[in-house]
Amino acid sequence: MSTVELHTLTGAYALGALTGREAAAFARHLDRCASCTQEVRELQETAARLALAVAEVPPADLRTRVMAALPEVRQLPPAEQGTTVVPMRRRFGHRLPYLAAAACLVAAAVAGGYAVQARHDAHEQRDRNVRAEQQAAAVSALMTAPDATFHTTALKGGGSGTVVASKRLGRTAFLYHGLPALSGQRVYELWYSRNGQMVPAGLVETGRSSGTLLLTGGPRGADGVGVTAEPPGGSSRPTSPPLALLGV
Amino acid sequence: MPVAARRGDRSSAPYAGALESLLDRVSRGDQQAFESLYTAVAGTVLGLVRRVVRDPAQSEEVAQEVLIEVWRSAARFDPRQGSAMAWIMTMTHRRAVDRVRSVQAAADRDHRAGVHGYTTAFDEVSEQVERRLEREQVRRCLGQLTELQRESVTLAYYRGYTYRETADLLGTALGTVKTRLRDGLIRLRDCLGVSA
């Protein structure tokens, strides 16, 4: 096949529409063709958007099965490509520390949010799992939204929080980690700041130190998200100074 | 992905979004990071596999294999080659296609169901608020393609046909399908505002 003919295969390659042998031949061509490589990259990103458009809520037992399999699976070392491979740690280390922090918080949130509650009966457990997966799907959509923003900060009094917001989806999530229990059965309450007004946006489940909370209402028109400690049941306006203020 | 989208240039600077950072931690054996990554991508992995494989039980099986493969090969991800999402979805599509191509010869497959598959590919999805906007945007952009571009792209991607099979199904010359896949995808890229 001529080079020109090969070049027109970028689309078929990006969509996985070549046979194994053709794909291998085209991959060899990519090694020598910088413009094809760039085009394939963009078209593969485009194909991933086609995938995002058909996302589903996975059944809860898929998570269980996948997580249970991990200890048995030996992880591959990084590819040996001489000098071109830089350890990822270094690549990411300085670049976006707040994202690493966010990822860390998400990890904690997920671990906290989906830990198996052994004492619940099976039925309740199933309902919980379904809700957890729906919540996970919402957080997933948020995290992969093209316009998602991440803001992380430490809370006065301990713990930290990350606000993930997408104006396009009209959704905001608060991922929290290591929140200390509050005295007098007070609760952590989330607020949107809109034109200097604090609008209630949800309560962190009592007794939970790490997790994810989808805020009530979207980020549009909000200039920030605040966290305060409030009496049991929450308040309609803040009764204490903010423990944290984050951008959206 | 968000960071890359905002960056707006077309250089091959490494992707450094939340998913990429999670993958980095996964590559070092961090199971909590993997569970977060699972939360972010499992629904998309399963959704894509379901479009290609169709059979629900087999789809879950393939999705499970893919997700475990992400854990296994996380260290092989190179953010200079593209986003974590694209890496995972390329792997997902390949596995799904391998499954259908090995299980049955292309001739056995339900061609008729496939030809107008792009509409059902969307209708089958249970409605979910967070995904609706993404879906609507993709649908709108698919709507801007010519019929041949749209059918070629959706048959290849959502049904897992090779471009030869796609050409057979559409009764179109091989070279035409090849170019329609490329120019269709380029038009989608521009419509969706994808940068890499």
Side-chain angles (χ1 to χ4, degrees), chain B residues 64-81:
Chain B
Q64 184 177 339
E65 282 169 23
V66 170
L67 290 159
I68 292 170
E69 182 60 25
V70 169
W71 165 259
R72 197 175 79 91
S73 57
R76 301 289 163 93
F77 167 67
D78 180 350
R80 290 162 308 172
Q81 309 289 323

Side-chain angles (χ1 to χ4, degrees), chain A residues 166-229:
Chain A
S166 161
K167 292 201 165 68
R168 215 168 129 250
L169 294 178
R171 285 282 208 178
T172 306
F174 178 63
L175 317 175
Y176 53 97
H177 173 60
L179 300 189
L182 294 166
S183 60
Q185 296 193 308
R186 285 177 307 155
V187 292
Y188 290 97
E189 183 159 1
L190 275 290
W191 309 86
Y192 277 119
S193 159
R194 298 185 199 277
N195 304 319
Q197 294 278 338
M198 298 301 260
V199 182
L203 300 176
V204 170
E205 199 180 317
T206 313
R208 175 159 278 182
S209 66
S210 299
T212 308
L213 175 69
L214 273 175
L215 301 195
T216 311
R220 203 173 289 275
D223 44 44
V225 166
V227 187
T228 61

Side-chain angles (χ1 to χ4, degrees), chain A residues 67-89:
Chain A
M67 293 309 295
L70 301 190
E72 307 299 319
V73 180
R74 193 182 193 139
Q75 291 186 291
L76 296 175
E80 294 295 332
Q81 287 176 12
T83 55
T84 57
V85 176
V86 184
M88 296 187 62
R89 225 158 310 172

Side-chain angles (χ1 to χ4, degrees), chain A residues 15 17 22 39 41-42 45 49-50 53 63 65 75-77 84 91 96 107 140 168-169 171, chain B residues 12 16 26 36 39-40 60 64 71-72 76 79-80 83 130 133-135 137 158 163-164 182 189:
Chain A
L15 289 168
E22 290 167 330
E39 186 169 298
R41 200 174 290 158
E42 291 171 8
E45 300 294 336
R49 296 288 296 277
L50 290 175
R63 178 190 296 268
R65 275 181 280 138
Q75 291 186 291
L76 296 175
T84 57
R91 278 207 301 270
L96 286 170
S140 157
R168 215 168 129 250
L169 294 178
R171 285 282 208 178
Chain B
S12 51
V26 169
S36 304
T39 300
E60 268 191 49
Q64 184 177 339
W71 165 259
R72 197 175 79 91
R76 301 289 163 93
R80 290 162 308 172
S83 70
E130 292 76 21
L133 285 172
E134 181 72 38
R135 205 146 38 231
Q137 198 190 4
Y158 289 135
Y163 75 97
R164 287 172 201 282
R182 176 168 178 250
R189 175 197 70 193

Side-chain angles (χ1 to χ4, degrees), chain B residues 172-193:
Chain B
T172 311
L174 209 52
T176 310
V177 165
K178 234 188 290 181
T179 37
R180 288 307 86 90
L181 287 176
R182 176 168 178 250
D183 54 30
L185 214 43
I186 286 173
R187 209 188 267 194
L188 271 180
R189 175 197 70 193
D190 296 342
C191 179
L192 292 167

Side-chain angles (χ1 to χ4, degrees), chain B:
Chain B
M1 204 151 46
V3 174
R6 272 202 303 279
R7 203 174 53 228
D9 61 38
R10 297 232 160 163
S11 73
S12 51
Y15 279 79
L19 291 184
E20 288 73 20
S21 145
L22 280 173
L23 254 186
D24 177 33
R25 293 179 52 211
V26 169
S27 74
R28 285 177 272 138
D30 185 334
Q31 293 198 18
Q32 283 202 344
F34 181 81
E35 188 151 16
S36 304
L37 189 68
Y38 177 99
T39 300
V41 305
T44 312
V45 167
L46 181 63
L48 179 57
V49 173
R50 284 268 294 231
R51 298 282 105 47
V52 177
V53 174
R54 315 304 292 270
D55 176 70
Q58 283 200 51
S59 299
E60 268 191 49
E61 220 173 274
V62 173
Q64 184 177 339
E65 282 169 23
V66 170
L67 290 159
I68 292 170
E69 182 60 25
V70 169
W71 165 259
R72 197 175 79 91
S73 57
R76 301 289 163 93
F77 167 67
D78 180 350
R80 290 162 308 172
Q81 309 289 323
S83 70
M85 202 60 180
W87 183 69
I88 293 169
M89 288 311 132
T90 300
M91 196 188 296
T92 303
H93 193 266
R94 192 175 302 144
R95 284 278 181 136
V97 161
D98 283 352
R99 174 63 67 104
V100 288
R101 286 183 195 163
S102 68
V103 164
Q104 47 192 152
D108 295 337
R109 295 168 64 191
D110 185 359
H111 290 176
R112 217 176 301 262
V115 171
H116 296 289
Y118 70 90
T119 43
T120 45
F122 281 97
D123 296 339
E124 285 164 3
V125 179
S126 60
E127 203 53 271
Q128 193 195 324
V129 181
E130 292 76 21
R131 288 293 183 205
R132 201 178 293 149
L133 285 172
E134 181 72 38
R135 205 146 38 231
E136 276 166 7
Q137 198 190 4
V138 169
R139 196 198 296 265
R140 183 175 59 78
C141 289
L142 280 171
Q144 291 180 7
L145 306 187
T146 68
E147 198 179 344
L148 190 55
Q149 285 175 333
R150 183 170 55 241
E151 290 189 334
S152 304
V153 166
T154 52
L155 281 173
Y157 197 64
Y158 289 135
R159 292 294 178 248
Y161 289 110
T162 66
Y163 75 97
R164 287 172 201 282
E165 290 168 335
T166 305
D168 282 351
L169 282 168
L170 298 174
T172 311
L174 209 52
T176 310
V177 165
K178 234 188 290 181
T179 37
R180 288 307 86 90
L181 287 176
R182 176 168 178 250
D183 54 30
L185 214 43
I186 286 173
R187 209 188 267 194
L188 271 180
R189 175 197 70 193
D190 296 342
C191 179
L192 292 167
V194 173
S195 62

